[in-house]
Every structure is written in C-alpha cells, then in structure tokens.
C-alpha cells in the first residue's frame, strides 16, 4: 500500500530512539506510544509508535510519489525508509519490534520511496531512490535511479535480492508508478508514460515499454488503430491507456463518439467489457486481483474525462484476469475531479478478507456486487477513503479542494509539503455495506491500513503509530 500523510503533531515518542533517522537505533520500542487523536475502537494506551520524516513533494500528480512508509500485509510488517534512502527498517505490525534492517549503497541527495509488491515468490519490499552517484575517483557524478528489492521475510540484517542502477538523462524527471503487483519507472504525463522501465520484483528483470499503436474492437462500427501508452503494471501485464484519434466525432456534433479505453497486457481490452453504452473507460487503480475503472457514455476529445454533477460516472470493479465486472455503482460529484489513469491507486484498498474494496470516494461490497458513493453534493463534502476493515467499516479524509493539481485528480490522497505544517483535516467513518457516513471529532486521524486482527496503522507528518482494536 502507498503511504499517506494526514496531519502534523508537535511532539512524539520514538520507537527507534533517534529522531533524526526514524529507521536507526535500538530494536526495543518505547514503553508508551504516542497517543494520537483517533476514532473510537482503537486502544491508544497500548500499541507502539515511531517518529516519521515528512515525505518529499510529488512533482508529478498521478504517480505513486515518494512514500516513506508501507505495509506488507501478508508478512504483518510496517516498513519504513529514511528520507535520504540510507536505511530501511521493518517493524512487526503487532509488537513494533524490529524484524530486519537494510542498508543500501550510498546515493547522494536521494529522494526515496518504499513500496510492497506481492507475487508467487512472496512479498517484496521495493526501495526506489533518485539521486546522484558519488563521483569518487575517476568516476563523474551522475543522476541515477536505483532499485533495491528485499524479501519481506528477510533475516535481521537484510540484503537486496536484486539491485538495479538506472541511468537517467539530465533532462528527464522520472517518477515511480507502483501497484501491489507491478512497478514502472519513467516520466509521467497525465497518468501515462511515453516510455518506462518495468521492474519484475520477483526476478529483478527489467524491460522497456513504450507507447505503441494497437488495434482495438468496439470503435464505432468496427475496429480501429489507437495509440496506447503505459499507465501502470500488474500481475496480468502492463495496463495501457488509449484515445481514439480517427473515424469518430471529436467535437460531439452528432457523429460516432470517440473512444477512450485501456488494454490489460495482451489479455483483454476495455471496449470488450464496457458497461452498456459506455465509450469512455479510464483505468484508475489495481488492488489484488481487481482493476477499478471509471466509465462515461461519451466525451469530447478536447477535454479529459471528469467526475462532475452534470453527468453520471459509472465506477466498476473488474476481475483483473478476465475483465468481468464484479461490482459497480453510478456516482456524481459537486467537485470537478479529473479521471486519470492510475489517479486512485493511492486510495484503493481491499479489506484483509477480500470482501470489500475502497477506491477514491467509492466503496464496494464484492459479495453483493453493490457499491456506494461518498462524493460531494450541493450540501455535503466528499470523502477520500483510506482504509477498510473486514466488516465493511471504512475511514477517510473529508476532501478539501484547494485548487492544486493534486486535489483536482479523482482518488488522489494528500501528501504533505516539505518543511511546512500540514493543516488539520476533517475525517469520517463510513459503512461500505450501507453507504452511511458519519463525521469524526475534529482533527481525528484515520488509519491508512486495517489488519484482520483489528490493528490500525496511522501515519501523520511526524509519527507512525499502530494501535490494537479496543
């Protein structure tokens, strides 16, 4: 799961014993955790906490950014990276004790992200860094991206199963695009890559993928060639987004509407699984064996598809392997939110038992195929969901529109700015089963992960805290 920054606190207790580097220090934890203001149902008198570094600002909204905290759910670990990428530490989710530490090769001026991927080889922790080589000896300093893959079940002093050095041109600003089963590195524009490197965490293999022309069915009365660009990688292959350029009405003047869509590896294409009458399909996120997509009946080529109050958006959960729809719901929003490939990845989660899925401002009961909208209306604010439990109880942040590119993207979770206090945010508890929502007390933090045993993981600008259910 991607890390999330929710608020700022004045002080904290440190499980690591080193405020400058939350991943350094002894393996014991403090006697009493920091008591964050959290919803009822969590015991803040027990559990554990550690200091956290502010996360680097993500310059390319829609990518996965530079999270410093991730959860490995199968291994029951909370994984934390130092902001400069000099160390990674894995804590037991339940006890807070250090399970392993990892020290990578040095990289100067590093921007760091830590991610968790699951596959047949088990869970892998991916440490991704952008910085400069040292330039020692006869070697000149150069920009570089390094990828280290560490097994989640490593011994106390972990080593990288795979280490990759990706040289970057001076005029390129790469970004990380991560799902729980795939990893891309490359520049991002409007949620897609013209060229990217796919990293296989299980084998360490890397390959370059590029925008390409493919022929897809369901364009007008037949098939059509489209330019498909890589958006994100999954266990079923790279998901590529496309936009029909020819043989359609680009200006919505009564001709055949143009098609937006996507292709999942070489397995299936959105035009073959679209809900009836839908010609615009945007792949928003992947969680486990599900892909979440947004659908419209038609749109013009001049505007990016958006969630609005003038036209319903169908949000659907698809089987990643087949494209079959597992659940769907129709929603509108009083906020104009751009629908972009991958934009809801940071807010898409499955409950531990797999019965419920949240994505952006929508929640789905996969056992019944029903969904509920938690978008804004003329009288209520939208809720950006952050975590969901096995009984369908979910938590979220009340959406604050501040005219930035990040908040205008549907499903985008907030990331704190460096060196500034994060303003307090309102939060809410919702039921994915019934669609009801209730505001939480002012400034209450919400979990970014909920474990099957009731533990909740909370992440503020300064603290990572884990509390058991009460």
């Amino acid at each position: 799961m991607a890390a999330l920054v929710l608020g700022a606190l004045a002080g904290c207790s440190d499980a690591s014993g080193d405020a400058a580097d939350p991943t350094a220090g002894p393996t014991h934890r403090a006697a009493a955790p920091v008591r964050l203001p959290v919803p009822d149902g969590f015991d803040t008198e027990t559990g554990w906490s550690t200091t956290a570094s502010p996360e680097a600002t993500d310059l390319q909204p829609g990518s996965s950014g530079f999270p410093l905290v991730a959860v490995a759910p199968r291994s029951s670990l909370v994984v934390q990276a130092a902001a400069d990428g000099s160390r990674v530490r894995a804590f037991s989710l339940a006890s807070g004790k250090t399970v392993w530490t990892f020290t990578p090769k040095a990289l100067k001026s590093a921007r760091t992200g830590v991610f968790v991927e699951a596959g047949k080889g088990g869970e892998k922790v991916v440490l991704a860094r952008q910085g400069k080589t040292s330039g020692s000896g006869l070697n000149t300093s150069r920009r570089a991206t390094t990828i280290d893959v560490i097994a989640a079940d490593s011994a106390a002093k972990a080593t990288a199963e795979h280490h990759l050095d990706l040289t970057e041109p001076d005029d390129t600003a790469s970004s990380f695009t991560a799902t729980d089963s795939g990893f891309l590195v490359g520049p991002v524009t409007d949620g897609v890559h013209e060229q990217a490197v796919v990293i296989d965490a299980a084998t360490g293999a890397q390959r370059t993928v590029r925008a390409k022309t493919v022929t897809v069915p369901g364009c007008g009365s037949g098939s059509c060639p489209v330019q498909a660009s890589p958006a994100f990688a999954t266990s079923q292959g790279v998901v590529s987004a496309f936009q029909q350029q020819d043989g359609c009405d680009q200006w919505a003047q009564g001709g055949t509407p143009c098609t937006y869509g996507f292709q999942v590896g070489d397995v299936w294409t959105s035009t073959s699984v679209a809900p009836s009458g839908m010609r615009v399909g945007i792949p928003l996120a992947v969680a486990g064996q599900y892909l979440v997509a947004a659908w419209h009946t038609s749109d013009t080529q001049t505007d990016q598809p958006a969630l609005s109050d003038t036209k319903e958006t169908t949000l659907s959960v698809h089987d990643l392997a087949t494209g079959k729809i597992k659940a769907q719901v129709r929603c509108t929003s009083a906020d104009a939110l751009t629908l972009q490939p991958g934009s809801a990845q940071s807010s898409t989660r499955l409950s531990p038992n797999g019965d419920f899925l949240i994505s952006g401002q929508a929640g789905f009961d996969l056992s019944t195929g029903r969904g509920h909208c938690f978008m804004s209306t003329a009288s209520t604010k939208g809720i950006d969901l952050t975590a969901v439990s096995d009984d369908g109880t979910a938590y979220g942040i009340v959406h604050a529109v501040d005219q930035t590119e990040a908040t205008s993207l549907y499903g985008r979770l907030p990331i704190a700015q460096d060196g500034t206090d994060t303003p307090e945010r309102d939060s809410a508890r919702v039921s994915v089963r019934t669609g009801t929502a209730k505001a939480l007390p002012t400034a209450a933090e919400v979990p970014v992960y909920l474990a099957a045993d009731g533990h909740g993981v909370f992440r503020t600008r300064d603290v990572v805290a884990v509390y058991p259910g009460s």
Side-chain angles (χ1 to χ4, degrees):
M1 62 166 253
L4 208 227
V5 177
L6 302 178
L9 296 177
C12 62
S13 169
D14 184 7
S16 70
D18 188 336
D21 178 4
T23 69
T27 59
H28 66 273
R29 60 184 175 88
V34 172
R35 296 178 61 189
L36 298 177
V38 302
D40 293 340
F42 298 97
D43 183 3
T44 59
E45 297 291 341
T46 58
W48 59 275
S49 65
T50 185
T51 55
S53 298
E55 294 176 350
T57 303
D58 186 1
L59 301 178
Q60 301 195 44
S63 70
S64 298
F66 300 90
L68 297 179
V69 177
V71 172
R74 297 181 188 177
S75 306
S76 296
L77 297 177
V78 176
V79 183
Q80 185 178 30
D84 64 0
S86 61
R87 180 186 287 258
V88 180
R89 189 173 177 185
F91 301 91
S92 165
L93 189 151
S95 71
K97 293 182 179 179
T98 300
V99 177
W100 54 258
T101 59
F102 170 71
T103 304
K105 295 179 181 179
L107 195 65
K108 296 168 57 180
S109 304
R111 288 158 58 99
T112 304
V114 65
F115 309 89
V116 173
E117 293 193 12
K120 294 180 180 179
E123 286 183 314
K124 308 293 182 182
V125 176
V126 178
L127 174 68
R129 298 177 297 162
Q130 294 177 354
K132 292 184 177 181
T133 58
S134 64
S136 59
L138 296 177
N139 298 320
T140 58
S141 179
R142 58 177 174 81
R143 288 179 57 184
T145 294
T146 67
I147 307 293
D148 289 283
V149 180
I150 309 109
D153 60 357
S154 288
K157 189 173 179 59
T159 58
E161 291 186 334
H162 310 289
H163 173 81
L164 306 175
D165 288 301
L166 309 177
T167 302
E168 290 190 6
D170 290 339
D171 60 350
T172 301
S174 289
S175 203
F176 306 131
T177 304
T179 68
D180 57 10
S181 60
F183 195 84
L184 286 181
V185 180
V188 178
T189 302
D190 295 334
V192 297
H193 304 258
E194 286 302 306
Q195 178 175 310
V197 175
V198 182
I199 306 296
D200 185 328
T203 65
Q206 55 179 297
R207 64 184 177 93
T208 299
V209 292
R210 297 179 174 86
K212 60 182 180 180
T213 300
V214 299
T215 300
V216 299
C219 295
S221 58
S223 300
C224 64
V226 296
Q227 187 78 358
S229 299
F232 46 85
T234 76
S235 60
Q236 295 296 320
V238 173
V239 176
S240 299
F242 59 76
Q243 181 177 345
Q244 185 181 1
Q245 301 290 337
D246 302 309
C248 63
D249 179 5
Q250 297 192 26
W251 311 106
Q253 295 179 338
T256 300
C258 295
T259 299
Y260 286 74
F262 56 93
Q263 184 168 291
V264 179
D266 296 321
V267 184
W268 56 276
T269 303
S270 61
T271 53
S272 62
V273 301
S276 179
M278 301 293 178
R279 292 187 174 273
V280 176
I282 307 296
L284 298 176
V286 165
Q289 291 304 305
Y290 301 103
L291 180 145
V292 182
W295 301 92
H296 286 315
T297 53
S298 64
D299 219 323
T300 65
Q301 294 289 78
T302 55
D303 299 321
Q304 282 190 283
L307 187 70
S308 68
D309 59 356
T310 59
K311 180 169 59 176
E312 283 189 336
T313 296
T314 295
L315 296 167
S316 58
V317 179
H318 298 257
D319 184 298
L320 182 60
T322 66
K324 181 180 178 181
I325 294 176
K326 307 293 290 185
Q328 63 182 6
V329 65
R330 291 186 177 183
C331 305
T332 60
S333 174
D335 298 323
L337 300 174
T338 299
L339 296 162
Q340 180 174 289
S343 63
Q345 188 62 52
S346 63
S347 61
T348 299
R349 310 268 191 279
L350 278 168
S351 61
N353 61 8
D355 288 347
F356 299 93
L357 184 147
I358 56 171
S359 183
Q361 298 179 352
F364 300 89
D365 183 339
L366 299 179
S367 65
T368 64
R370 296 176 58 192
H372 292 283
C373 309
F374 301 97
M375 283 77 172
S376 60
T377 67
S379 59
T380 61
K381 298 176 182 178
I383 303 169
D384 297 318
L385 301 176
T386 63
V388 61
S389 68
D390 282 345
D391 67 359
T393 299
Y395 297 87
I397 306 162
V398 175
H399 189 81
V401 179
D402 58 11
Q403 308 306 314
T404 67
E405 187 175 4
T407 63
S408 70
L409 285 178
Y410 174 74
R412 174 74 169 179
L413 286 172
I415 292 180
Q417 303 294 310
D418 278 338
T420 61
D421 288 336
T422 303
E424 293 180 347
R425 293 180 180 270
D426 294 327
S427 54
R429 179 192 286 118
V430 308
S431 170
V432 176
R433 286 186 186 275
T434 65
T436 56
K438 182 179 180 180
L440 293 171
T442 302
E445 303 291 348
V446 291
V448 297
Y449 177 76
L450 292 167
D453 64 2
H455 279 84
V457 179
F458 296 81
R459 167 74 158 112
T460 75
R461 185 174 183 273
D462 301 302
V463 176
V464 175
V466 179
Y467 305 122
S470 59

